[in-house]
Amino acid sequence: MNEFELIDYFFAQTKKDRDDVLLGIGDDGALLKVPPRQSLVVSMDTLVEGIHFPVETTPYDIGYKALAVNLSDLAAMGAKPAWATLALTLPKADKDWLKKFSRGFFSLLNHYGMQLVGGDTTRGPLAITVQVHGFVPFDRALRRDQAKPGDLIYVTGTLGDAGAGLNWKIPYFLQRLNRPEPRVEVGLALRGISHCAIDISDGLAADLGHILQASKVGAQLFVEQLPLSQTLTAHFAPPKSWQFALNSGDDYELCFTVPPKNKAKLHKALTAISCGYTCIGVIRKKPGLFMYYNNGKKCISAIKGYKHF
Ligand code: ADP
Ligand code: MG
């Protein structure tokens, strides 16, 4: 199979029903239409074999995850997904591998009504780069630099499961590691309620750290509030479980801040889409990330392994 046959067979079959795509795959570039009064949100992530996924990961999971981690970035901006481009570097044109890879990729692409509008195909060590494009009204984007002292800090779902899956091959942990569910609906629901979010790809402490740095604020976190799955709790006791929640990545949950006056709105919006979420702390003026027990005492053990910025 040559490069063009491969593109035709596996990738040019994307659904072509979006009317904001004037010209998709097949020309030197795609022609696309952005809705009026909306920002185009563009984000890109690369997955390299052995670094971003273990060598034994199935091609279906690789295809799924390559898109999922990008959709997670759109979610963290409050953007509605629209288009994607795909750069594939393959050691060889393996039909069976490509079939499974494209199934994983298109399952998620079609779920969000997106269209693949272009890409690039080259030979080399396995690496996948996906770029996604989405829309958000001008004044409604969720940005890292918009946290304000007094805002409550929330996370969706549970933390630490994917990280545990790197070393503990338990089905639930592996599911969390290989099939992260991008929180796209949450990002959309947060428009107008929150102005600040990030997706948790490197671990809560590091990613919340990015919010604190960009917003020039600090945070008080309550370690006993960190949302942990039953499976994580069954395998690890605190403070180990807290360390997973704080320091391990790949969960792709959202961390976001909300002014206290929007608490009721938040409850309504996230209950409507059945999304679990937890308040884990408060934004403070004093720079730095500080951990506490619920009784107000400082917690030192949970931050072991966490590098202060
Ligand atoms: P060019 O030589 O002009 O860069 P290519 O031969 O790389 O064009 O690609 C031909 C067309 O196929 C382009 O529209 C490109 O966007 C698309 N394409 C190439 N690789 C992929 C891929 N992996 N997935 C989707 N579209 C692709
Ligand atoms: Mg090209």
Side-chain angles (χ1 to χ4, degrees):
M1 228 183 195
N2 71 29
E3 177 194 336
F4 300 105
E5 286 164 350
L6 185 154
I7 295 165
D8 245 14
Y9 192 78
F10 292 105
F11 300 108
Q13 308 177 19
T14 182
K15 281 203 179 118
K16 295 173 183 125
D17 49 8
R18 288 190 66 100
D19 54 17
D20 54 11
V21 180
L22 306 176
L23 192 58
I25 292 175
D27 212 309
D28 295 309
L31 297 175
L32 307 165
K33 225 164 52 178
V34 180
R37 287 178 297 282
Q38 304 224 18
S39 295
L40 174 65
V41 183
V42 180
S43 185
M44 176 190 275
D45 258 316
T46 296
L47 301 187
V48 177
E49 183 176 51
I51 295 176
H52 301 98
F53 56 88
V55 177
E56 68 270 17
T57 311
T58 67
Y60 186 100
D61 285 346
I62 298 169
Y64 176 96
K65 192 167 176 177
L67 184 57
V69 300
N70 276 282
L71 288 177
S72 177
D73 284 320
L74 286 187
M77 295 301 294
K80 189 167 169 48
W83 315 309
T85 52
L86 169 65
L88 261 183
T89 305
L90 302 168
K92 58 181 192 304
D94 176 342
K95 251 186 153 174
D96 184 55
W97 191 94
L98 279 162
K99 191 162 104 190
K100 291 170 179 158
F101 172 89
S102 60
R103 273 198 196 142
F105 184 86
F106 281 112
S107 71
L108 201 54
L109 194 89
N110 293 335
H111 177 78
Y112 286 105
M114 300 174 75
Q115 187 168 330
L116 182 66
V117 296
D120 201 17
T121 308
T122 51
R123 192 181 289 268
L126 182 61
I128 302 102
T129 298
V130 175
Q131 186 169 51
V132 287
H133 314 76
F135 313 130
V136 64
F138 283 147
D139 55 347
R140 301 222 145 181
L142 308 174
R143 302 167 46 134
R144 295 179 183 187
D145 62 0
Q146 294 298 310
K148 306 280 187 262
D151 282 0
L152 301 169
I153 304 167
Y154 290 87
V155 291
T156 58
T158 59
L159 300 178
D161 301 313
L166 286 172
N167 290 308
W168 283 269
K169 306 294 172 197
I170 290 160
Y172 173 75
F173 293 151
L174 287 174
Q175 174 77 13
R176 291 291 318 260
L177 178 66
N178 292 325
R179 302 275 181 91
E181 287 176 29
R183 295 293 194 175
V184 172
E185 291 79 8
V186 179
L188 298 176
L190 288 177
R191 287 177 177 180
I193 296 172
S194 165
H195 285 99
C196 175
I198 191 166
D199 68 320
I200 304 175
S201 54
D202 297 332
L204 174 66
D207 290 318
L208 176 58
H210 294 314
I211 286 186
L212 303 184
Q213 210 160 26
S215 298
K216 301 186 174 71
V217 292
Q220 201 178 10
L221 275 199
F222 296 95
V223 287
E224 290 160 299
Q225 303 295 118
L226 292 169
L228 308 175
S229 69
Q230 281 183 355
T231 315
L232 194 80
T233 318
H235 284 84
F236 307 101
K240 184 78 187 159
S241 53
W242 298 335
Q243 287 165 1
F244 268 114
L246 284 168
N247 298 322
S248 72
D250 283 297
D251 285 315
Y252 296 99
E253 296 292 349
L254 291 189
C255 173
F256 55 95
T257 73
V258 175
K261 68 173 167 53
N262 287 348
K263 258 173 93 169
K265 271 193 201 165
L266 176 71
H267 178 74
K268 203 172 154 201
L270 294 198
T271 307
I273 57 169
S274 309
C275 174
Y277 68 103
T278 311
C279 184
I280 56 165
V282 190
I283 297 289
R284 299 291 184 205
K285 225 164 136 180
K286 184 181 170 190
L289 180 54
F290 304 96
M291 316 282 174
Y292 291 86
Y293 294 105
N294 285 349
N295 67 11
K297 282 203 179 131
K298 272 202 175 168
C299 170
I300 306 299
S301 57
I303 57 175
K304 216 169 77 184
Y306 163 62
K307 220 167 85 255
H308 278 271
F309 50 87

